[in-house]
Amino acid sequence: MTSLGYGHRLALWVQGCPLACPGCIAKDTWDPKGGVAVDVADLLEDVRRAVLAGADGLTISGGEPLRQAAAVGSLLRGVRELGAAFDVLVYTGFELEELDAAQRETAELADVLITGRYVATAPTGLIWRGSANQQMHLRTPLARDRYTDFVEYEPEHPPIQIEADREGRLWWAGVPNRPETKRALDRGLAALGYSVESASWRRDYRP
């Protein structure tokens, strides 16, 4: 993954979100009964393989990652124990003052924390943020080394990654921080003969 943080990354989407922000592009992640159950040990093994392959970090989005604070915290403690220069970026729709003790403990394990609900009426050009109210918090020296130049960075176009699977279906991932970005993406893929099937981070375009 190259569109959700610094360098080349492993990405994890957590299922279940109580915030239900209007205009969210990942509504299928709202239902806590959706998704697939995966053991933390298995996820940590994925991280180990990513580190060995030269990945720069892990991005955790959703859904709402801090809704599963205990499990996510367990994963992040395991990542810390690897001792690699491997940063963790966590998205949460909560503000810092809204976090309970368990959520705050997990949030403090992240190198980079992006906070705040998605607000469709507050578009932004800031990289990796969906709306202007969202804040990027750099919590560690590694985060400050890698992300300081990105806190106020506004690329001409937000990074969007498009890949194809073996069946010829496409999936895309990124933060289309302006409504026109996603509309342009949908129009461009439709012009190539693809139709939207599901959420943006899944295999969502079929020829």
Side-chain angles (χ1 to χ4, degrees), residues 19-165:
L19 302 177
C21 299
C24 174
I25 65 170
K27 288 185 178 180
D28 64 319
T29 65
W30 291 4
D31 183 359
K33 297 179 180 178
V36 178
V38 181
D39 289 339
V40 169
D42 292 333
L43 292 174
L44 191 54
E45 186 57 36
D46 289 338
V47 172
R48 290 193 185 97
R49 286 195 292 269
V51 170
L52 291 174
D56 296 295
L58 168 68
T59 294
I60 304 179
S61 187
E64 172 49 59
L66 295 184
R67 182 183 171 277
Q68 299 186 40
V72 172
S74 180
L75 173 63
L76 297 193
R77 281 187 287 272
V79 172
R80 290 283 192 209
E81 291 173 2
L82 296 177
F86 187 85
D87 74 77
V88 175
L89 186 158
V90 175
Y91 282 92
T92 176
F94 292 114
E95 302 292 350
L96 292 177
E97 60 271 17
E98 295 180 298
L99 303 181
D100 62 28
Q103 291 170 331
R104 183 172 292 276
E105 182 179 348
T106 294
E108 289 175 353
L109 294 170
D111 295 281
V112 182
L113 189 68
I114 295 181
T115 60
R117 290 161 178 73
Y118 171 68
V119 179
T121 56
T124 182
L126 294 170
I127 194 169
W128 303 318
R129 277 149 286 183
S131 54
N133 60 296
Q134 293 179 327
Q135 300 293 313
M136 181 187 293
H137 306 272
L138 310 185
R139 309 183 66 89
T140 65
L142 179 60
R144 289 186 285 275
D145 179 59
R146 291 182 172 180
Y147 288 86
T148 294
D149 290 342
F150 293 111
V151 172
E152 300 297 332
Y153 177 55
E154 297 189 30
E156 183 178 357
H157 302 289
I160 300 291
Q161 182 176 355
I162 302 175
E163 300 286 348
D165 66 15

Side-chain angles (χ1 to χ4, degrees), residues 172 181-191 194 196 204-205:
W172 67 268
T181 302
K182 185 175 184 304
R183 289 195 294 267
L185 177 62
D186 288 343
R187 286 195 302 268
L189 290 170
Y194 290 89
V196 180
D204 64 335
Y205 290 92

